[in-house]
Amino acid sequence: MKSKMTEGKIFSKLLLFALPLVIGSIFQLTYNLFDYIILGWFSDNPIFSQAAIGVAGPIMNIFISLFSGLCVGAGIHSSELFGKKDITSLKRQYTSFAIVFGLISLLVSILFVIFLNPILTISNVVDPLLKKEAYTYLAIVSIGFVFCFIYNLYASTLRSMGDSIASLLFLIISCVLNILFNILFVVVFNLNVIGVAIATTISQLLSAVSIVIYGKTKYKEVLIFKKNEIVIDRKLLKISTSYAIASALQQIVLYVGKYLVSIQINKYDAVVIDAFSASSKIDDFVFAPAQNFAHATAIFIAQNKGAKQYDRAKKGYKVGFLLNLIYGVVITTIIFVLKEPVLNLFISNNPKILESKQLVIDGGLTYLSIMCMLYMLPCITNSIQCYFRGVGKLNIVFYSTTVQIIARVTFVYILIGLLSKPLEAVAYACGIGWLFMIAFELPILIYYYKTNKNLIINKI
């Protein structure tokens, strides 16, 4: 099979590969966004229902990021093998990872349900009804964790071979179905929070089944296995696991940090929780494309490293960095101009909740006004980290993310007692965390880039 990233014009190759990932990440976020919007417009108690989703979101994201991070990390190893055109090893790497981590994902799902009640208690959810709603939502959504792993495993494998279109198409279909199921279960059957949880789970199941069928049909050479090819290759598994765990830890640390921040927010009333939840969803739409431009660049670097095209890998990194900077300028401008109209979309104009709605919007505007001054920072940090992902130094990604989260959480806990508005504290703490992250990883990048460590330029 021919590697798509090791030849041709770098800018067009990288951009065309990255765009489906970016669009896919946006559609992925619509799962929770439309849950949130439909509850806001059609729930019997929109502020309360949205607050329940707001409480559940940071918890759920830790586990979703676990499965996604594992597959992204393993995909870097797949990209190297594909760049070498070593299909035999690629198949052995895939089956080894799928068997072991598929079982782990099932175990994690079971343990999640068992310990869900204590998790919510630790989450500082004071209102018992709010806690009950969040529990119900998370218990149902956890059924889809295994489907989430399957989808991400196939999507990551396809991307490692240069196919970023397929996973996008199936994700779009799944998101459309999720919207339709939300309307059915919430608007028609009036199931509120339970309805959006059921809709999400069914949609994840359908996306997993669809991408499996496509992968086995289109890429028979890689994804159709004879009986003797279904093996656990310890050597390949060890390499994939090192990549996967480092990537997963980096993702988990990020969402654990967000969860620790949410613990401080959960002690306030539903209005503050809802304002934070709405603002965070806008944040997610800002961050996800930046992460995917960086992810595409990491795959580009890994494939060209595997093909021993080291100069091309290095040039691709510069192009990827530029794309992320351009994106940062554009998205900052958009959010600055449209932040209030977007926040208004999230909650209905029901006269019974107009006062509460305005309080939610005011809180969101306070947060986003500060964040608009900071959005360039995660674009920079993602661009720095993708170099280390591409050359396989995921431990540096993990360390820098850990530094960022420790700084962010520490300053949230400090500032929330000093500032009058809790969301101001959260926003300023985000900026401080990113600055700490850049201060940690930038000198390491300069060292690796100048010395070509782990990317041996012109030594083919």
Side-chain angles (χ1 to χ4, degrees):
M1 298 181 76
K2 189 176 181 181
S3 175
K4 297 180 180 181
M5 306 293 284
T6 55
E7 57 186 43
K9 293 183 178 179
I10 293 175
F11 183 86
S12 58
K13 283 286 183 180
L14 189 52
L15 180 61
L16 291 175
F17 181 71
L19 284 178
L21 300 185
V22 171
I23 296 170
S25 69
I26 292 172
F27 275 94
Q28 183 77 57
L29 290 170
T30 62
Y31 269 92
N32 287 333
L33 178 64
F34 276 98
D35 290 352
Y36 190 83
I37 290 176
I38 288 175
L39 284 175
W41 282 85
F42 298 104
S43 173
D44 295 335
N45 189 347
I47 302 296
F48 183 84
S49 296
Q50 289 181 322
I53 298 293
V55 167
I59 300 170
M60 180 180 67
N61 287 338
I62 291 174
F63 293 88
I64 295 295
S65 67
L66 168 65
F67 306 128
S68 174
L70 288 170
C71 295
V72 166
I76 298 297
H77 187 203
S78 300
S79 297
E80 290 184 5
L81 294 173
F82 188 75
K84 294 177 182 177
K85 300 182 180 179
D86 187 353
I87 302 303
T88 300
S89 294
L90 178 59
K91 295 182 76 169
R92 293 174 70 88
Q93 179 257 358
Y94 175 88
T95 58
S96 302
F97 185 82
I99 293 169
V100 173
F101 283 91
L103 292 173
I104 290 174
S105 70
L106 180 60
L107 177 62
V108 168
S109 301
I110 295 170
L111 292 175
F112 177 79
V113 176
I114 292 173
F115 292 102
L116 183 52
N117 221 355
I119 290 171
L120 284 169
T121 300
I122 296 170
S123 302
N124 206 19
V125 184
V126 179
D127 189 324
L129 292 177
L130 193 63
K131 182 177 179 180
K132 182 180 178 181
E133 287 283 271
Y135 180 95
T136 302
Y137 176 83
L138 289 168
I140 295 172
V141 169
S142 67
I143 298 171
F145 284 173
V146 174
F147 308 137
C148 178
F149 172 78
I150 294 171
Y151 171 83
N152 278 288
L153 175 62
Y154 267 79
S156 180
T157 303
L158 295 179
R159 287 194 293 264
S160 73
M161 296 186 289
D163 185 350
S164 60
I165 297 293
S167 56
L168 168 62
L169 294 177
F170 291 117
L171 188 58
I172 291 173
I173 294 171
S174 178
C175 287
V176 171
L177 290 174
N178 183 53
I179 296 169
L180 296 177
F181 285 134
N182 268 321
I183 294 172
L184 175 65
F185 293 125
V186 177
V187 181
V188 179
F189 295 150
N190 198 31
L191 292 177
N192 297 325
V193 172
I194 294 175
V196 297
I198 294 172
T200 297
T201 303
I202 294 175
S203 301
Q204 287 177 334
L205 167 63
L206 294 176
S207 65
V209 171
S210 300
I211 200 168
V212 168
I213 293 172
Y214 170 84
K216 290 184 177 295
T217 303
K218 180 77 179 287
Y219 297 95
K220 295 179 180 179
E221 184 180 347
V222 176
L223 296 174
I224 293 290
F225 307 96
K226 297 177 182 177
K227 188 175 181 180
N228 64 340
E229 292 178 323
I230 302 175
V231 298
I232 298 178
D233 186 311
R234 293 186 178 182
K235 183 178 178 181
L236 291 171
L237 178 62
K238 182 178 180 181
I239 298 171
S240 289
T241 299
S242 66
Y243 283 15
I245 291 178
S247 177
L249 284 175
Q250 183 262 330
Q251 293 283 349
I252 289 173
V253 166
L254 178 64
Y255 284 102
V256 166
K258 291 184 176 182
Y259 168 68
L260 292 174
V261 171
S262 74
I263 290 176
Q264 282 293 301
I265 297 298
N266 289 345
K267 68 183 182 182
Y268 293 92
D269 59 20
V271 168
V272 175
I273 295 173
D274 200 7
F276 178 62
S277 181
S279 304
S280 296
K281 292 188 185 308
I282 295 173
D283 274 351
D284 290 339
F285 275 87
V286 173
F287 302 151
Q291 291 167 350
N292 280 278
F293 276 122
H295 180 47
T297 306
I299 291 175
F300 185 97
I301 293 170
Q303 273 201 19
N304 283 279
K305 180 189 175 188
K308 297 185 178 181
Q309 297 195 55
Y310 305 116
D311 284 321
R312 182 178 174 85
K314 200 169 183 180
K315 291 175 182 176
Y317 174 66
K318 293 179 181 178
V319 171
F321 206 127
L322 176 62
L323 285 173
N324 237 337
L325 292 179
I326 293 171
Y327 165 76
V329 173
V330 172
I331 196 63
T332 297
T333 304
I334 291 172
I335 299 301
F336 180 78
V337 173
L338 299 178
K339 56 183 181 295
E340 186 167 0
V342 172
L343 285 168
N344 269 288
L345 287 175
F346 288 165
I347 306 173
S348 73
N349 291 318
N350 188 326
K352 295 180 181 179
I353 63 163
L354 283 182
E355 184 177 350
S356 297
K357 175 182 178 178
Q358 191 57 51
L359 291 173
V360 171
I361 292 173
D362 289 345
L365 290 174
T366 296
Y367 176 84
L368 291 173
S369 296
I370 298 170
M371 292 299 290
C372 282
M373 298 185 290
L374 305 172
Y375 280 144
M376 286 300 297
L377 297 179
C379 294
I380 294 171
T381 60
N382 276 295
S383 295
I384 293 173
Q385 287 187 336
C386 75
Y387 183 86
F388 299 121
R389 291 174 193 252
V391 300
K393 296 296 293 182
L394 296 181
N395 59 321
I396 296 174
V397 177
F398 171 66
Y399 297 145
S400 63
T401 303
T402 302
V403 167
Q404 185 250 132
I405 292 304
I406 291 173
R408 179 192 294 192
V409 173
T410 300
F411 278 94
V412 163
Y413 280 67
I414 293 172
L415 294 175
I416 209 163
L418 299 176
L419 300 176
S420 59
K421 297 180 180 179
L423 296 189
E424 280 186 331
V426 174
Y428 284 125
C430 285
I432 293 170
W434 287 321
L435 290 173
F436 269 80
M437 191 179 197
I438 293 173
F440 175 86
E441 63 191 8
L442 185 58
I444 303 174
L445 172 69
I446 293 171
Y447 167 73
Y448 270 78
Y449 196 80
K450 285 187 174 181
T451 61
N452 300 322
K453 192 168 184 177
N454 285 79
L455 190 63
I456 312 171
I457 310 299
N458 294 327
K459 291 185 181 181
I460 301 175

